[in-house]
Amino acid sequence: MAHQLLETLGLADDPRVVANVASNASVADGVIASMSPTTGEPIAGVRLDNADDYERIVAEAAEAFKQWREVPAPQRGQVVRAIGDALRENLEPLGELVALEVGKIRAEGIGEVQETVDIADFAVGLSRQLHGITMPSERPKHRMYEQWLPVGLVGIITAFNFPNAVWGWNAMLGAVSGDVCVWKPSLMAPLTAIATNAIASKTADAMGHPGIFRLVIGADDVVGERMIADRRFPLISATGSCRMGRHVGQVVAGRLGRTLLELGGNNGIIVEPDADLDLAAKSVVFGSVGTCGQRCTSTRRLIVHESIADQFTDKLVAAYRTITIGDPLEDGVLVGPLINEASVQNFESSIEAAKSQGGEVLVGGERVPASELPERLRGGHFVRPTIVRAGSQNLPIAMEETFAPILYVFSYKTLDEAIEMHNSVDQGLSSAIFSRSLCSGERFTTPSGAGSDCGLVYVNQGTSGAEIGGAFGGEKDTGGGRESGSDAWKAYMRRQTVTVNFGDEFALAQGIRFE
Ligand code: UN1
């Protein structure tokens, strides 16, 4: 399977890819192994870029920008349109590569590539709508308007969990904006990055626009630190942990560059007593166990009205017991592995912390014992999706984002109390409420801001699985960035206010006379 996929996607012939690699190949060797989280075996090796490679790539990108910015935006849109088509043609193999490399199930892998196709479509339309406004000048025979210009080089830093779509959100908008994108992918998903970037860059090359999608694969201290400190990148768009984002934010701010940060989430769902519990249960299960709890939008906290807490929790526990864990590329499997052994350890230590803080494990709580796995999967990083009932409202571990399928359940008496609990965490990405009452939904989304404090809020939908049409991102420690739809494109462009005097009088604003 792996071999065939690498062939289909052209990775077998890519000079960066090394077919046979030792699983312990390290950054120091200049080659790393992309490991299958499902088997614990290497899929292939990937050559890393060093400081000289970085310099060359960025210098070439800066040259390419000078050409690309001269291409009219609607023509840039045609290039993105062709990239969308090429991704469509590769939807299945690329989705399967995502599943193979990061362990999400096949349907979610394909769904992720579909998300990139969707944002490409969106960006094509946008390429004719990157418009500014005109405003009346206070001076006679003057015209004032604003226009949007490309920013230049965009550094895109992505995490392992969405190794294709998060690049897509940034790169498709960056490309129609006239920017050149340099992508630093996670070292846990380099093959998906190579295959994805090759599709985009080959398509653009063939249309006469070489070098506008670049990839730089390397260790954080070699290429990551260089990129964030590099003044040639007016914009760094980074996705990952709050800790990483705080560092990136400070370094880029130190040189007065711009960041677009999409960091951790600690997403909660409030379930009101009048909720449709079947609908709520399906959404909670998808949100908390989908992608094995490794989405930034994964549901981590459930805040249920006390009158239905036991009934609803029992329903979830029963559903969790039916979940098939296994090879993410096999039909019928709903939950694949965590990305690596360190994640399994994090999962285990969070469960230990929860127990010692008074939490009660209702289902799951452990890794899947090797004896329950087929021989082939024994090196994989499988854990059981877990529900922990919080013994009291004070469960410090639930304030942290553990990138694993752990759902903490709290109960509440009044909706105001539930909202306060909901907003009590540091992160502010995604949120949801289930209720059949218009008033509860409105209370949670009130325009005063006294409802959910997150960037994304859902009523009768779960916290994960955003559509590309809306702006995606969150508040507080999530970093404040907005990617994807709505007017997120403005982050990839710079605004210029233009004032033209078409008369022959010297006129100053504010009525100042200077004669
Ligand atoms: C992420 O986990 O970094 O809303 C992105 C969602 C997806 C994107 C998740 N559309 O769950």
Side-chain angles (χ1 to χ4, degrees):
M1 166 97 197
H3 183 72
Q4 201 189 323
L5 271 182
L6 301 192
E7 285 278 335
T8 310
L9 291 164
L11 288 167
D13 307 321
D14 194 290
R16 279 181 187 269
V17 178
V18 185
N20 293 312
V21 65
S23 52
N24 61 355
S26 74
V27 171
D29 304 322
V31 176
I32 48 145
S34 169
M35 305 292 289
S36 156
T38 305
T39 61
E41 296 292 320
I43 304 168
V46 170
R47 276 185 240 283
L48 297 181
D49 290 312
N50 59 28
D52 292 341
D53 298 322
Y54 171 87
E55 227 359 271
R56 175 181 49 78
I57 291 166
V58 177
E60 286 171 6
E63 277 309 304
F65 172 60
K66 290 183 191 157
Q67 310 293 319
W68 183 235
R69 68 180 170 192
E70 297 298 337
V71 177
Q75 286 182 35
R76 301 196 290 249
Q78 290 308 305
V79 175
V80 168
R81 183 174 118 134
I83 293 170
D85 287 345
L87 287 164
R88 267 188 185 87
E89 276 163 31
N90 287 282
L91 191 70
E92 291 206 358
L94 201 48
E96 284 170 358
L97 179 64
V98 170
L100 181 74
E101 197 172 33
V102 305
K104 63 177 73 176
I105 60 170
R106 189 172 178 277
E108 289 187 87
I110 291 173
E112 173 170 355
V113 182
Q114 182 62 46
E115 197 164 337
T116 305
V117 168
D118 293 343
I119 193 74
D121 286 354
F122 180 88
V124 176
L126 204 55
S127 70
R128 290 182 186 270
Q129 299 175 76
L130 303 167
H131 38 218
I133 57 169
T134 305
M135 52 289 272
S137 168
E138 65 188 62
R139 288 171 279 190
K141 301 212 164 146
H142 277 61
R143 192 159 72 86
M144 197 157 70
Y145 63 94
E146 64 185 26
Q147 58 174 349
W148 291 87
L149 316 171
V151 291
L153 301 194
V154 178
I156 304 172
I157 299 173
T158 57
F160 78 85
N161 66 331
F162 271 78
N164 174 276
V166 172
W167 166 84
W169 294 344
N170 286 283
M172 298 300 96
L173 297 191
V176 292
S177 298
D179 301 327
V180 168
C181 297
V182 183
W183 180 14
K184 180 198 169 295
S186 160
L187 292 186
M188 288 180 273
L191 294 170
T192 303
I194 295 171
T196 302
N197 200 70
I199 289 171
S201 61
K202 277 183 191 154
T203 306
D205 279 12
M207 294 174 81
H209 306 290
I212 57 169
F213 297 101
R214 298 304 299 255
L215 197 54
V216 46
I217 305 181
D220 288 347
D221 56 345
V222 180
V223 301
E225 293 298 328
R226 277 198 167 72
M227 179 185 261
I228 62 179
D230 192 334
R231 291 177 61 88
R232 289 171 293 180
F233 287 95
L235 173 65
I236 297 286
S237 174
T239 304
S241 68
C242 297
R243 198 169 57 88
M244 177 281 290
R246 206 165 265 122
H247 173 65
V248 170
Q250 285 176 11
V251 173
V252 179
R255 61 175 173 87
L256 301 179
R258 273 200 235 161
T259 45
L260 199 173
L261 300 175
E262 202 258 284
L263 311 174
N266 191 348
N267 317 296
I269 295 185
I270 295 175
V271 186
E272 281 271 87
D274 64 354
D276 176 333
L277 295 188
D278 286 335
L279 181 68
K282 285 180 189 151
S283 304
V284 171
V285 176
F286 176 71
S288 53
V289 315
T291 326
C292 202
Q294 299 172 108
R295 290 191 187 211
C296 55
T297 52
S298 290
T299 309
R300 310 207 179 278
R301 296 176 302 132
L302 189 60
I303 304 166
V304 198
H305 191 266
E306 59 175 13
S307 64
I308 52 159
D310 286 344
Q311 177 198 354
F312 189 59
T313 314
D314 288 351
K315 198 175 174 71
L316 291 176
V317 169
Y320 268 52
R321 293 223 158 95
T322 67
I323 289 170
T324 336
I325 306 169
D327 184 339
L329 282 157
E330 246 166 52
D331 282 348
V333 169
L334 286 184
V335 174
L338 287 174
I339 188 69
N340 57 23
E341 205 45 40
S343 283
V344 175
Q345 280 163 20
N346 252 334
F347 164 86
E348 287 174 333
S349 59
S350 295
I351 305 269
E352 282 317 306
K355 285 186 195 158
S356 69
Q357 292 165 9
E360 183 194 349
V361 174
L362 301 178
V363 62
E366 56 178 11
R367 72 182 301 155
V368 180
S371 57
E372 287 184 27
L373 292 166
E375 186 81 38
R376 196 172 67 82
L377 305 187
R378 292 202 178 148
H381 315 293
F382 295 93
V383 300
R384 291 196 206 286
T386 301
I387 300 179
V388 175
R389 178 155 52 204
S392 71
Q393 303 304 22
N394 184 21
L395 192 68
I397 189 69
M399 306 295 278
E400 290 171 30
E401 178 193 42
T402 303
F403 230 48
I406 308 174
L407 180 68
Y408 300 104
V409 185
F410 300 87
S411 62
Y412 71 89
K413 288 186 170 49
T414 66
L415 183 53
D416 282 349
E417 182 198 351
I419 294 174
E420 197 179 315
M421 284 162 65
H422 176 272
N423 291 349
S424 67
V425 295
D426 291 334
Q427 308 84 347
L429 179 57
S430 187
S431 57
I433 188 168
F434 280 79
S435 169
R436 283 295 178 212
S437 143
L438 174 73
C439 298
S440 306
E442 290 292 309
R443 168 72 185 87
F444 198 50
T445 56
T446 169
S448 79
S452 163
D453 62 0
C454 291
L456 307 169
V457 53
Y458 295 90
V459 178
N460 294 324
Q461 261 296 352
T463 58
S464 70
E467 304 177 20
I468 60 92
F472 183 94
E475 305 300 338
K476 303 195 289 183
D477 284 8
T478 302
R482 291 296 187 277
E483 295 174 301
S484 190
S486 183
D487 64 352
W489 60 271
K490 290 181 176 169
Y492 305 85
M493 304 200 82
R494 62 187 168 89
R495 184 197 311 246
Q496 188 169 64
T497 305
V498 184
T499 307
V500 181
N501 177 2
F502 55 89
D504 17 78
E505 296 296 316
F506 173 60
L508 290 172
Q510 294 88 41
I512 295 172
R513 297 183 70 85
F514 199 79
E515 277 157 10

